[in-house]
Amino acid sequence: MSQSADLLINDQSYPLPILTGTEQEQAVDISQLRKLSKFITFDDGYGNTGSCESSVTFIDGDKGILRYRGYDIAELAEKSTFLETCYLLIYGNLPTATELSSLEARVAQFTELPPEVLAALKALPANTHPMAVLSCGLQALGGAFPDLSSNNKQQDLDNFDKSSSLIISAIRSIAAARYRFSRGEEFSGSEKSGNYCEDFLSMMFSSKDSNGIPEAVSKALDVIFLLHADHEQNCSTSTCRMIASGGANPFASVAGATSALWGPLHGGANMAVIKMLNEIHQSGDDGSKFIQSAKEGKSRLMGFGHRVYRNYDPRAKILKSACDQALDALGVDSPILDIARNLESTALEDEYFIQRKLYPNVDFYSGIILQAMGFPTDTFTVLFAIGRAPGWLAHWKEIASNGKRIHRPRQIYQGETLRSYTEIASR
Ligand code: CMC
């Protein structure tokens, strides 16, 4: 039986359909409301707005559930790999062995960057932030493959197997090339083991006389990428979908999403966590003074809180134990890990954080692992972007295949009403 809601405005009733998702989430469908009533709905920051129907990822923030295409994140983190999860997100099902090896082969084929892309990366000012480099690099990549970035939706969809593998592969090459160039080194690609993370780590760090990358390290990185791979309608994914809704190609959409991810309240939080932990450590605080200043609104406990999770972020739970294992494997002792643990246990027993349902999020422990692996802090958000790329691509594909019209929210104008132009001499 189809349900509906009645909205009463100035004695006039408007029946609005109720939309029910496969996990029984419900929404009042207001898409016809303006046409019927001239009213729009107002939801500053979209906290209560469903912007689309999607079949990629399900989150129940109250219960701390995250599923990609129906599979629980903890099960995927234990049994799957990043590349297999890329396939799952983009194509909707786990791959057969043949499908997986064909994706692996496509990704391995694009490890090298076209010379024009390398030249574009080199031409950027030396102080350009790695996230800006990444965004430019992705646009340059689209430029190097005009057939794959035509802004003709059908052509871009027809070429999507190739463009998505290219982006998933080259995004790590762009990150590694920028890192090498920033150190005055050449970018020489990798040894090409065919293992996504091993190849990336080798592009980033290995020199001719290095002894290879410990397996535990590349495995930990694989789990970090997998945990970041999608998170439904977050800021950067919504940006990607918004750009895609206008008909832009996957390269442009992912480059825009990269910019959206950069900010400290979104992907930039993993850098902010390390900065915060280092400052607490240097000041001699064990975390208690910092907690007090966060409660007084003078600072924010970075890596804590989430718009959707009002319970423990399931990704943080996995990363907390991955953090112990990775540091053990690397034989690294991290004084800031003790501070992080102390901050977490203090916050979880404090009324301020309990009342506001603030728990550690995915960024709270990931930075500590990345730092122990030797990644400079300013590359952390780039690593988030590498992990998130398959999610952005899955959403690009969803919009390009099923999207009905360009995304275009409305607003409530609160500015000046009509006034007449004053000549400059009279102002
Ligand atoms: N430390 C201290 N207080 C906080 C924090 C925090 N990290 N987060 C929220 N609050 C307080 C906030 O001050 C407000 O208090 P009050 O009701 O007294 O005004 C209340 O909790 C609600 O906060 P909000 O800002 O309205 O919540 P939001 O849903 O708009 O923001 C958030 C979510 C993630 C931006 C925010 O929790 C935050 O800034 N966290 C720190 C940054 C961070 O870790 N971001 C990474 C998010 S996970 C990765 C990703 O998906 O990008």
Side-chain angles (χ1 to χ4, degrees):
M1 195 179 69
S2 70
Q3 293 176 295
S4 77
D6 272 324
L7 178 66
L8 195 63
I9 308 176
N10 300 333
D11 292 335
Q12 170 74 45
S13 170
Y14 300 96
L16 300 169
I18 301 247
L19 200 64
T20 304
T22 53
E23 290 286 348
Q24 306 312 313
E25 296 168 297
Q26 294 202 302
V28 178
D29 178 352
I30 52 92
S31 47
Q32 297 302 312
L33 181 63
R34 186 169 177 279
K35 212 185 250 173
L36 298 172
S37 71
K38 298 249 176 342
F39 278 84
I40 60 167
T41 54
F42 179 68
D43 180 21
D44 197 0
Y46 310 129
N48 200 43
T49 294
S51 61
C52 61
E53 292 180 85
S54 173
S55 58
V56 182
T57 286
F58 171 70
I59 300 176
D60 182 330
D62 293 325
K63 295 190 184 141
I65 292 174
L66 168 61
R67 293 183 201 140
Y68 297 159
R69 301 283 189 185
Y71 294 96
D72 187 75
I73 192 67
E75 193 177 10
L76 290 171
E78 187 195 332
K79 299 179 182 163
S80 185
T81 61
F82 176 61
L83 271 192
E84 184 181 68
T85 297
C86 290
Y87 187 99
L88 171 68
L89 284 168
I90 291 171
Y91 297 103
N93 288 305
L94 287 168
T96 61
T98 317
E99 287 164 338
L100 181 59
S101 42
S102 133
L103 174 68
E104 285 167 346
R106 283 201 304 274
V107 168
Q109 174 198 337
F110 292 123
T111 313
E112 309 295 331
L113 290 173
E116 312 92 291
V117 175
L118 286 171
L121 300 182
K122 274 189 174 162
L124 289 166
N127 287 333
T128 309
H129 188 279
M131 285 299 277
V133 175
L134 190 61
S135 185
C136 293
L138 286 162
Q139 292 280 22
L141 191 66
F145 289 88
D147 290 354
L148 309 184
S149 56
S150 67
N151 285 2
N152 170 324
K153 198 160 74 173
Q154 197 49 55
Q155 184 177 332
D156 289 343
L157 266 175
D158 290 346
N159 286 320
F160 185 71
D161 286 353
K162 189 169 173 192
S163 60
S164 55
S165 317
L166 169 62
I167 290 172
I168 287 168
S169 185
I171 193 169
R172 68 191 162 154
S173 311
I174 296 169
R178 180 265 157 201
Y179 173 70
R180 293 279 192 172
F181 295 156
S182 72
R183 295 161 57 86
E185 295 169 6
E186 279 307 306
F187 174 67
S188 50
S190 79
E191 301 292 325
K192 280 213 193 107
S193 71
N195 175 304
Y196 187 84
C197 288
E198 272 174 26
D199 285 348
F200 173 51
L201 287 163
S202 131
M203 281 184 243
M204 282 284 292
F205 298 123
S206 73
S207 56
K208 285 196 185 83
D209 46 355
S210 75
N211 294 322
I213 311 289
E215 200 192 333
V217 173
S218 68
K219 269 198 152 157
L221 188 61
D222 199 80
V223 170
I224 291 177
F225 285 156
L226 184 154
L227 293 176
H228 285 82
D230 193 46
H231 213 234
E232 51 120 299
Q233 308 310 320
N234 57 84
C235 172
S236 55
T237 302
S238 299
T239 304
C240 179
R241 291 185 72 114
M242 177 76 88
I243 299 172
S245 79
N249 65 73
F251 299 86
S253 304
V254 170
T258 301
S259 297
L261 185 71
W262 186 358
L265 297 186
H266 191 10
N270 56 12
M271 283 167 61
V273 169
I274 292 296
K275 188 166 171 277
M276 172 189 80
L277 293 174
N278 283 336
E279 282 168 9
I280 295 174
H281 181 53
Q282 277 151 20
S283 72
D285 179 18
D286 64 351
S288 346
K289 283 194 199 132
F290 191 88
I291 291 276
Q292 192 51 38
S293 84
K295 285 163 61 177
E296 289 165 8
K298 292 180 190 151
S299 49
R300 258 195 180 202
L301 181 51
M302 300 312 283
F304 251 71
H306 199 278
R307 173 62 62 80
V308 178
Y309 293 118
R310 300 301 178 188
N311 198 325
Y312 214 101
D313 179 338
R315 301 166 301 172
K317 213 177 272 177
I318 299 164
L319 278 172
K320 190 178 176 183
S321 59
C323 188
D324 290 332
Q325 286 163 20
L327 264 55
D328 231 27
L330 287 160
V332 172
D333 205 17
S334 168
I336 59 170
L337 179 58
D338 292 336
I339 293 174
R341 286 199 188 110
N342 195 30
L343 283 173
E344 180 186 343
S345 57
T346 313
L348 292 183
E349 285 174 10
D350 190 293
E351 258 322 287
Y352 174 94
F353 294 90
I354 294 169
Q355 263 178 16
R356 289 165 181 77
K357 299 189 175 163
L358 300 170
Y359 293 87
N361 60 47
V362 68
D363 293 317
F364 196 65
Y365 287 104
S366 62
I368 299 175
I369 309 179
L370 297 175
Q371 190 179 51
M373 285 176 181
F375 286 100
T377 315
D378 71 357
T379 61
F380 290 2
T381 316
V382 170
L383 299 170
F384 191 151
I386 296 174
R388 185 56 55 87
W392 292 331
L393 289 163
H395 286 273
W396 183 92
K397 186 164 175 252
E398 199 169 69
I399 284 277
S401 315
N402 312 323
K404 294 180 194 89
R405 53 186 186 160
I406 189 167
H407 290 193
R408 205 307 188 177
R410 292 190 178 258
Q411 63 163 14
I412 297 294
Y413 176 68
Q414 301 285 20
E416 299 285 351
T417 51
L418 182 67
R419 32 184 189 168
S420 27
Y421 185 84
T422 318
E423 291 304 330
I424 196 159
S426 320
R427 284 177 219 158

